């Protein structure tokens, strides 16, 4: 299934909200053939107020490892340097989790793809519970949805095993430009975040298995990062590379540039980069580290003092106890569907 076909699938739209029109004051209405308007004879009305909440998932560690015993008063939140009052503070071990696995199947991954397939399957087998869901996307000259939402690790494994390296020899690209375009990494991140994760609730992560190189995407590092931030999705990047594939000179520069891009993408969304080279043991350890973080995440919620829903980017800064390192997204966009509702 070509993932770009998803753009043609209509997403469920939220029903429009219509305000009731108040009846005109004054005397009796003039004669009319129209049916009489119903009269509300109820003697009580219930007012339900929605309060915008910003939800921030984060982990805390010190030299000894992850901190799992913090309370609301142990941490503080600044939005655009303005202190915010934390409304909810919980450790989220059991909140449903949505995972998107993005698998690089471009030519540069030909020698590490088997490692990605095996370790990715083991990771999902360990982390997925019946209330969680995952999907799988491959990207090369195309972006393909190999497995839609499922909570079956076995189904994801079958899809992982079916993934093949695609160098685009003799084929075109689904981007509409007619020629093979390289490695559409940023397009894959954008589509996964915008088309798959943005409408989902709860914890959301993207795990990229790639060497970090992008060639030919319509999207950019900036727009891909924005899409992930607007979906409140944390991006983890596991860098796998076969340096022998690049040879020397220009190829190595491309790999280094990709690593810098991945560092920014991950850091800005609250995730991180784990560089494993082509070492299978390090790859397993990387997935274990991500599991540990997911088990020790906190969720802090606050109602921003800046109540404008104006689409601007608001920076966030979380601090806890001295000597503790916070891993959280750098900010959020003040748009309606990026904010939670507290009824």
């Amino acid at each position: 299934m070509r993932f770009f076909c998803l753009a043609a699938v209509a997403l469920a739209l939220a029903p429009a909200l219509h305000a009731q029109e108040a009846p005109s004051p004054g005397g009796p209405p003039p004669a009319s053939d129209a049916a009489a308007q119903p009269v509300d004879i109820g003697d009580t009305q219930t007012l339900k107020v929605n309060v915008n909440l910003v939800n921030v998932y984060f982990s805390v560690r010190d030299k000894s490892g992850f901190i799992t015993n913090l309370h609301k008063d142990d941490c503080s939140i600044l939005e655009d340097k303005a202190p915010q009052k934390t409304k909810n503070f919980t450790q989220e071990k059991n909140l449903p989790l949505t995972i998107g696995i993005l698998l690089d199947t471009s030519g540069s991954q030909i020698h590490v793809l088997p490692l990605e397939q095996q370790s990715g399957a083991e990771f999902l087998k360990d982390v997925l519970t019946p209330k969680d869901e995952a999907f799988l996307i491959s990207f090369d000259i195309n972006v393909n949805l190999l497995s839609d939402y499922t909570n079956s690790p076995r189904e994801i494994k079958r899809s992982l095993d079916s993934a093949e390296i695609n160098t685009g020899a003799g084929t075109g690209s689904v981007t509409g430009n007619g020629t093979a375009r390289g490695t559409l990494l940023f397009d894959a991140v954008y589509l996964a975040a915008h088309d798959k994760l943005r409408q989902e609730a709860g914890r959301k992560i993207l795990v990229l298995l790639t060497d970090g190189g992008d060639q030919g995407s319509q999207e950019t590092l900036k727009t891909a990062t924005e899409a992930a931030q607007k979906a409140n999705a944390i991006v983890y990047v596991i860098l796998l590379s076969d340096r022998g594939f690049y040879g020397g000179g220009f190829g190595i520069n491309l790999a280094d540039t990709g690593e810098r891009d991945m560092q920014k993408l991950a850091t800005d969304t609250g995730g991180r980069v784990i560089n494993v080279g082509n070492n299978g043991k390090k790859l397993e350890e990387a997935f274990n580290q991500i599991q540990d973080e997911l088990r020790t995440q906190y969720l802090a919620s606050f109602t921003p003092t800046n109540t404008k829903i104006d689409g601007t980017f608001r920076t966030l800064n979380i601090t806890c106890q001295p000597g503790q390192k916070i891993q959280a997204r750098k900010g959020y966009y003040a748009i309606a569907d990026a904010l939670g509702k507290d009824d």
Side-chain angles (χ1 to χ4, degrees), residues 60-72:
V60 184
R61 71 179 79 190
D62 60 13
K63 294 180 180 180
S64 301
F66 290 104
I67 309 298
T68 59
N69 58 353
L70 295 176
H71 303 283
K72 182 167 67 173

Side-chain angles (χ1 to χ4, degrees), residues 7-313:
V9 180
L11 297 175
L13 298 177
L17 300 178
H18 298 285
Q20 291 184 339
E21 294 182 359
S24 300
S32 172
D33 293 334
Q37 295 297 312
V39 178
D40 184 3
I41 59 175
D43 52 3
T44 61
Q45 294 267 341
T46 300
L47 178 64
K48 197 172 188 180
V49 179
N50 288 331
V51 179
N52 290 321
L53 287 176
V54 175
N55 296 321
V56 186
Y57 296 93
F58 65 98
S59 56
V60 184
R61 71 179 79 190
D62 60 13
K63 294 180 180 180
S64 301
F66 290 104
I67 309 298
T68 59
N69 58 353
L70 295 176
H71 303 283
K72 182 167 67 173
D73 294 338
D74 294 324
C75 300
S76 60
I77 303 174
L78 298 179
E79 177 183 301
D80 289 342
K81 299 183 180 180
Q84 306 295 313
K85 182 178 180 181
T86 303
K87 188 170 185 179
N88 302 310
F89 188 95
T90 57
Q91 190 171 357
E92 292 300 339
K93 295 181 180 180
N94 300 314
L95 195 68
L97 177 66
T98 304
I99 303 175
I101 302 292
L102 273 58
L103 183 67
D104 188 340
T105 48
S106 63
S108 63
Q109 300 300 92
I110 190 169
H111 296 301
V112 295
L113 179 60
L115 296 176
E116 298 173 347
Q117 292 167 317
Q118 179 180 350
S119 298
E122 288 297 320
F123 167 71
L124 291 173
K125 181 181 177 181
D126 291 341
V127 78
L128 279 184
T129 70
K131 62 188 175 183
D132 301 325
E133 287 189 314
F135 61 90
L136 172 66
I137 291 172
S138 68
F139 60 94
D140 36 64
I141 66 165
N142 295 324
V143 179
N144 298 326
L145 181 65
L146 299 185
S147 178
D148 208 343
Y149 285 120
T150 179
N151 60 8
S152 170
R154 183 175 300 178
E155 184 175 334
I156 293 284
K157 183 180 186 304
R158 283 198 297 266
S159 298
L160 276 166
D161 291 341
S162 72
E164 297 179 347
I165 296 295
N166 182 9
T167 60
T171 66
S173 169
V174 297
T175 57
N177 293 301
T179 57
R181 301 195 62 201
T183 307
L184 306 185
L185 189 158
F186 296 146
D187 286 350
V189 173
Y190 179 90
L191 289 166
H194 183 272
D195 289 15
K196 301 297 291 181
L197 291 181
R198 188 159 174 173
Q199 302 303 319
E200 297 296 313
R203 294 188 297 166
K204 297 171 279 189
I205 70 168
L206 291 175
V207 179
L208 274 67
L209 295 157
T210 180
D211 58 10
D214 180 280
Q215 291 177 293
S217 283
Q218 293 182 4
E219 301 299 332
T220 64
L221 172 62
K222 183 177 186 295
T223 59
T225 303
E226 286 179 0
Q229 289 171 326
K230 289 176 180 178
N232 197 7
I234 300 172
V235 179
Y236 293 95
V237 181
I238 300 179
L239 280 179
L240 296 105
S241 60
D242 178 9
R243 289 279 170 150
F245 175 86
Y246 292 100
F250 183 66
I252 295 295
N253 291 335
L254 279 178
D256 293 341
T257 299
E259 183 171 355
R260 289 195 297 272
D261 288 345
M262 294 302 96
Q263 287 285 359
K264 181 168 179 55
L265 173 63
T267 301
D268 286 357
T269 59
R272 62 192 181 97
V273 172
I274 308 173
N275 195 331
V276 302
N278 60 357
N279 187 308
K281 183 173 178 59
K282 287 184 177 180
L283 178 57
E284 292 178 9
E285 292 173 353
F287 277 118
N288 289 335
Q289 290 177 39
I290 295 173
Q291 283 190 67
D292 289 342
E293 290 188 20
L294 295 176
R295 294 191 184 105
T296 58
Q297 276 184 329
Y298 294 94
L299 169 61
S301 302
F302 66 94
T303 300
T305 53
N306 183 350
T307 58
K308 295 179 181 178
I309 311 299
D310 56 7
T312 58
F313 185 77

